[in-house]
Amino acid sequence: MQHALQAAHMAQIQGFDAETVLAALFHDIGHLCALPGAEMMGNVGVKGHEMIGGAFLRKHGFSNKVAELVEAHVMVKRYLTFKYPEYLAKLSSASLTSLKYQGGPLCEAEATAFEADPLFSLKCKLREWDEAAKVVDWEVPSLESYRPLIVEHLSKQQCVV
């Protein structure tokens, strides 16, 4: 929970929009909402958690942008390990383990296609917060503090439908 709250706080204090803050908050929700018996990545979480999380968020009324940002945080890790080999050395042991299960670094064609994504920069920013959100004893706003943002976002989505 602390990891998610730190990522969301970084997005918020840097002035990003509500959807991006929510994506930072929920980027690892797939680890929590996966069905019993879901395939694991050794002892570092649920395989495909990014897609599970995105589907869960869409099903519960969150915007496509929130879901798409959540779904992309693994792809960005794969992109960065291809594009910047030195990035690999910065990954935690858990992140290195999960990378093996997630398909490893992208190939050049995949990286080029990913760079053309309209949300490419924002997806990379979310990954930056994901990596940085590992500060021991950092006091950040509680999950409850995000309730108004979540309620407002979900209310807007119901109006769109």
Side-chain angles (χ1 to χ4, degrees), residues 39 51 54 98 104 112 134 137:
E39 186 177 354
M51 302 311 283
S98 64
T112 300
K134 299 172 184 173
D137 296 327

Side-chain angles (χ1 to χ4, degrees), residues 27 30 46-55 67 70-74 102:
H27 75 276
V46 176
K47 185 175 182 185
H49 74 281
E50 70 283 7
M51 302 311 283
I52 293 167
V70 166
E71 290 169 341
H73 77 280
V74 167
Q102 294 161 337

Side-chain angles (χ1 to χ4, degrees), residues 15-151:
F16 282 84
D17 64 281
E19 288 174 302
T20 304
V21 171
L22 291 173
L25 179 65
F26 293 130
H27 75 276
D28 277 339
I29 198 167
H31 289 299
L32 303 174
C33 66
L35 295 174
E39 186 177 354
M40 300 299 289
M41 298 182 290
N43 64 346
V44 296
V46 176
K47 185 175 182 185
H49 74 281
E50 70 283 7
M51 302 311 283
I52 293 167
F56 177 86
L57 291 167
R58 280 190 190 91
K59 179 180 175 185
H60 288 89
F62 287 86
S63 70
N64 191 57
K65 180 179 176 182
V66 172
E68 196 174 326
L69 290 173
V70 166
E71 290 169 341
H73 77 280
V74 167
M75 179 66 80
V76 176
K77 177 171 68 170
R78 295 182 64 215
Y79 169 79
L80 292 172
T81 56
F82 165 76
K83 192 76 171 181
Y84 306 102
E86 66 275 12
Y87 180 78
L88 197 60
K90 296 179 183 179
L91 294 177
S92 67
S93 62
S95 211
L96 285 169
T97 298
S98 64
L99 180 63
K100 292 175 188 172
Y101 289 92
Q102 294 161 337
L106 296 181
C107 70
E108 188 168 348
E110 291 169 320
T112 300
F114 186 58
E115 290 170 337
D117 185 316
L119 293 176
F120 172 75
S121 295
L122 203 49
K123 289 175 178 181
C124 289
K125 194 68 178 168
L126 186 120
R127 183 70 203 182
E128 181 183 310
W129 300 320
D130 183 14
E131 288 297 329
K134 299 172 184 173
V135 181
V136 177
D137 296 327
W138 185 20
E139 300 245 353
V140 293
S142 69
L143 179 59
E144 184 63 31
S145 73
Y146 292 96
R147 180 185 298 270
L149 192 64
I150 294 166
V151 169

